[in-house]
Amino acid sequence: MNTLSAFNQYTNSLAPNGELMPVLFIGHGSPMNGIEHNVYSENWRNIAKKIPTPVSVLVISAHWLTKGTGITAMNAPKTIHDFGGFPEALYDVQYPAPGNPKLAEETTKLIKKTPVVLDHDWGLDHGAWTVVRHMYPLADIPVLQLSIDYTKDAAYHYDLGAQLYALRKRGVLIIGSGNMVHNLRMVSWQHMHETNYGYDWAVQMNNTFKDLITNGDHAHLIRYEQLGKEASLAIPTPDHYYPLIYTLALQGKKDEAHFFNDYVVGGSLTMTSVIFSEKD
């Protein structure tokens, strides 16, 4: 059974009104995925149809890096076009999902590890809206973002992420949005549209990540620097990897990991994504 078939069989078995919301790590890739109808965006739409409808969505995006931790707390977060050199149609997109100031304030109280600032300036960057607009196109579900403190290591973010677990019991869908393998400097632009084109080291590292996730080996994923030269190529900077760390921290004892969008792009990027959810 291929990966997509296995994923569809799995999500079809999820209870429509499960008590514990699943957790998603999504490889978001190019901002163009926000307006394109492709295998990635189609799977994002399908996931939203097969999991319980959340009361709110909380995104940890690779594109909101701060010193300290913040959470968006405005009533109407703006759509941020934090990229350059793309078609005008992408800049025209607005995703007017509401915020949830009350949930933002309650989340600050859950996190004991560090003070969390209620932010009224950021909004929804492309790590959030390019994905969520496919999942919830009516923009009728509140969306918040939690920032990533770029001064801290993976172990810190894992411990912080674990403190968000109670939100799963309250109907909040938590999404980590980044890419497991993300080396823009080594992208082969001439192969960007070639299906599943990947360098050997990228494919190897992607498989290593999947094996460790499947086995629940969070310790090695946290200490990714010790996974060899392939890891240093896959994660030259940790910004796109840290969202995965948050989702790992939210995995419960009964949660199973199932992969989707398991493709390599341009040699040095992977779209590989994972859903953590209980299965009866």
Side-chain angles (χ1 to χ4, degrees):
M1 181 181 296
N2 63 38
T3 301
L4 182 57
S5 296
F7 170 72
N8 285 335
Q9 180 179 356
Y10 170 67
T11 51
N12 283 335
S13 71
L14 293 178
N17 294 302
E19 293 182 359
L20 191 68
M21 285 298 294
V23 178
L24 291 169
F25 171 76
I26 291 182
H28 64 245
S30 167
M32 288 299 294
N33 291 322
I35 59 174
E36 291 180 347
H37 294 278
N38 53 36
V39 64
Y40 315 125
S41 60
E42 183 65 26
N43 282 333
W44 298 339
R45 286 191 291 272
N46 287 339
I47 289 168
K49 295 174 183 176
K50 294 174 180 178
I51 64 176
T53 301
V55 298
S56 286
V57 177
L58 176 63
V59 182
I60 299 99
S61 165
H63 295 281
W64 191 20
L65 305 177
T66 54
K67 187 175 182 179
T69 302
I71 188 169
T72 55
M74 67 286 289
N75 287 311
K78 62 186 176 183
T79 303
I80 303 173
H81 300 89
D82 51 334
F83 40 74
F86 290 92
E88 189 63 30
L90 191 59
Y91 299 93
D92 290 339
V93 173
Q94 295 294 316
Y95 185 68
N100 190 334
K102 182 179 179 181
L103 179 61
E105 184 172 358
E106 292 171 351
T107 301
T108 67
K109 297 174 182 177
L110 287 176
I111 298 174
K112 308 297 183 183
K113 188 175 183 67
T114 186
V116 180
V117 175
L118 292 172
D119 181 271
H120 297 275
D121 298 319
W122 188 248
L124 303 179
D125 60 51
H126 82 267
W129 65 261
T130 61
V131 173
V132 180
R133 76 181 297 261
H134 286 291
M135 297 179 70
Y136 305 109
L138 297 180
D140 56 349
I141 295 175
V143 183
L144 300 82
Q145 282 197 227
L146 184 75
S147 75
I148 296 174
D149 186 342
Y150 67 88
T151 70
K152 305 298 184 182
D153 63 12
Y156 176 93
H157 292 294
Y158 186 90
D159 291 343
L160 194 159
Q163 296 178 70
L164 301 173
Y165 188 85
L167 295 178
R168 294 186 62 188
K169 300 178 181 179
R170 298 179 53 187
V172 179
L173 176 62
I174 302 175
I175 300 175
S177 179
N179 293 97
M180 292 188 195
V181 176
H182 186 266
N183 191 326
L184 286 180
R185 291 186 178 183
M186 296 187 70
V187 165
S188 176
W189 297 106
Q190 65 267 35
H191 292 100
M192 281 298 289
H193 298 291
E194 183 175 334
T195 302
N196 222 19
Y197 178 85
Y199 302 134
D200 289 345
W201 60 264
V203 174
Q204 178 181 333
M205 202 64 234
N206 194 57
N207 288 334
T208 296
F209 288 148
K210 289 191 295 179
D211 288 343
L212 292 172
I213 292 169
T214 299
N215 294 328
D217 189 347
H218 295 182
H220 279 94
L221 289 160
I222 292 169
R223 297 192 296 271
Y224 65 90
E225 302 97 331
Q226 300 177 17
L227 294 177
K229 64 179 182 180
E230 290 83 7
S232 64
L233 289 170
I235 312 171
T237 59
D239 46 297
H240 277 69
Y241 183 76
Y242 280 166
L244 173 65
I245 294 296
Y246 277 83
T247 57
L248 293 173
L250 288 160
Q251 183 179 11
K253 292 181 179 180
K254 296 181 179 180
D255 284 330
E256 294 183 354
H258 288 260
F259 299 97
F260 60 100
N261 285 351
D262 190 15
Y263 300 98
V264 188
V265 177
S268 61
L269 305 171
T270 61
M271 295 294 291
T272 304
S273 305
V274 60
I275 181 171
F276 297 103
S277 186
E278 290 184 339
K279 184 179 180 183
D280 294 335

